[in-house]
Amino acid sequence: MSSLRELAQMLGLSITTVSRALDGYGDVAVATRERVLAAAETTGYRPNSAARRLRRGLTEIVTMVLPAEPGHFNEPLYIELLRSTGERLAQQGYDLTLIAALPGPDELKTYRRLIEGRRTDAIIVVRTRREDARLRYLTDIGFPFVAMGRSDFAEPYAYVDGDGEAAFHDAALRLTGLGHRRIGHLAAPSAFTFAHLRRSGFARAMRDTGLPGEIIEDSATEAGGYRAAGVMLAQAQPPSALLCATDSMALGAMRAVRERGLVAGRDIAIIGHDNIPAAAFSDPALATMELPIAATGRRLAEMALARIGGADPRDMTEINPVEFIPRASLGEARG
């Protein structure tokens, strides 16, 4: 099908309605938008991108800003997130661009350059912080954005998140159910919301069971997990289980365990979070938790498009359950 008029006639809708549905405007009913999109996909109709950009004054670009040093895109979690987000945006004729912004005083300069230079239509914010200047800036200027994660920021904004607090509470209780009484939590930096929520879930489980629990904070990396586990394992009464904020930390902890002649899953239980590809191929395979990242990427894309179309962020918040994935590093029940 070659024209917008033909598509509108086929659907029995006005050209304006079909055009606004294809452009993602929030004033089009969800059912109508989905009907239009399905028809466009079935007939092979593709909007004229140049005409649409001119009409709407948009770039048809959504940007994800990673808080990382340029050239250091090494977190497996984000590879799948980028793929699924980009694919969903492409279905609507949008491109996803990736930019690194080293956390610190100059981070907001990257956001200002993107927005003031009109280089993007919306921004996806990842790895939210409890006190997050990025969310404040984007809200204050009214620029469309969606975040992967929550914050202590009081103003409403669009986000998708996993229920990390409940997941770590339940994982800790799973360990106590296996007979563990000395459980350590390798925590990521508490300035990050995900780390704070996971730590809170662990602490609540320890209160519920009357067990002491121990928390050591380090970077959310293999090196951080290695260091934190080393401190715990050097104690006179080391833990029999480690609940790690990320898979990367858990993999580092597994190295620390091996260096002491111990075997994960036999001598000490280890659980991570993220279900990165390496988790299934570690030795032993790492028990972990997962917020389905492909589905999360698609939702981030859909929310970004809706925000570009003027949708109210107060109606765009999701906290999804986290799945536990048992593997060999969990071990058996203790006698």
Side-chain angles (χ1 to χ4, degrees), residues 6-258:
E6 290 175 340
L7 182 63
Q9 288 175 343
M10 184 188 80
L11 291 168
L13 298 170
S14 69
I15 293 176
T16 299
T17 297
V18 172
S19 176
R20 293 182 72 81
L22 291 169
D23 287 348
Y25 279 101
D27 59 354
V28 179
V30 173
T32 301
R33 183 184 305 114
E34 291 177 350
R35 181 177 165 224
V36 171
L37 293 176
E41 183 69 23
T42 301
T43 61
Y45 173 75
R46 293 292 179 270
N48 184 307
S49 295
R52 184 164 67 173
R53 284 194 298 269
L54 182 63
R55 181 174 67 253
R56 301 182 64 197
L58 298 176
T59 65
E60 294 191 335
I61 293 173
V62 173
T63 301
M64 183 180 295
V65 183
L66 289 184
E69 186 176 351
H72 289 70
F73 303 139
N74 57 358
E75 292 198 44
L77 176 71
Y78 289 127
I79 303 301
E80 176 62 18
L81 184 70
L82 289 166
R83 183 195 65 78
S84 57
T85 305
E87 286 180 355
R88 185 66 184 90
L89 288 171
Q91 292 173 356
Q92 298 300 114
Y94 274 74
D95 293 321
L96 175 67
T97 62
L98 176 65
I99 292 181
L102 187 64
D106 293 335
E107 185 175 17
L108 284 181
K109 290 182 180 179
T110 300
Y111 285 79
R112 293 190 181 99
R113 186 173 67 252
L114 286 167
I115 294 166
E116 293 171 5
R118 298 185 178 181
R119 301 179 185 182
T120 189
D121 298 330
I123 288 177
I124 298 174
V125 180
V126 298
R127 190 143 287 185
T128 52
R129 302 162 196 146
R130 297 181 67 190
E131 300 292 333
D132 205 311
R134 301 169 299 174
L135 305 184
R136 167 60 65 187
Y137 167 68
L138 293 168
T139 300
D140 285 349
I141 67 172
F143 192 79
F145 76 94
V146 60
M148 183 180 175
R150 286 166 282 170
S151 172
D152 291 345
F153 183 52
E155 297 296 323
Y157 67 94
Y159 66 78
V160 182
D161 201 2
D163 195 348
E165 197 273 345
F168 272 67
H169 174 268
D170 294 348
L173 292 184
R174 183 184 294 267
L175 290 170
T176 63
L178 291 174
H180 294 279
R181 293 298 176 264
R182 297 189 309 278
I183 305 172
H185 175 46
L186 307 190
S190 57
F192 293 113
T193 307
F194 82 88
H196 169 70
L197 293 171
R198 294 172 192 181
R199 179 193 296 227
S200 297
F202 171 78
R204 180 162 65 89
M206 294 300 97
R207 291 193 301 272
D208 290 347
T209 56
L211 297 175
E214 183 173 0
I215 300 173
I216 293 183
E217 180 178 309
D218 210 307
S219 65
T221 63
E222 291 88 346
Y226 175 80
R227 288 189 297 264
V231 172
M232 286 196 175
L233 295 171
Q235 296 173 351
Q237 288 189 312
S240 63
L242 295 175
L243 182 53
C244 307
T246 68
D247 283 351
S248 295
M249 295 187 80
L251 294 174
M254 291 176 80
R255 177 176 174 179
V257 165
R258 287 194 300 270

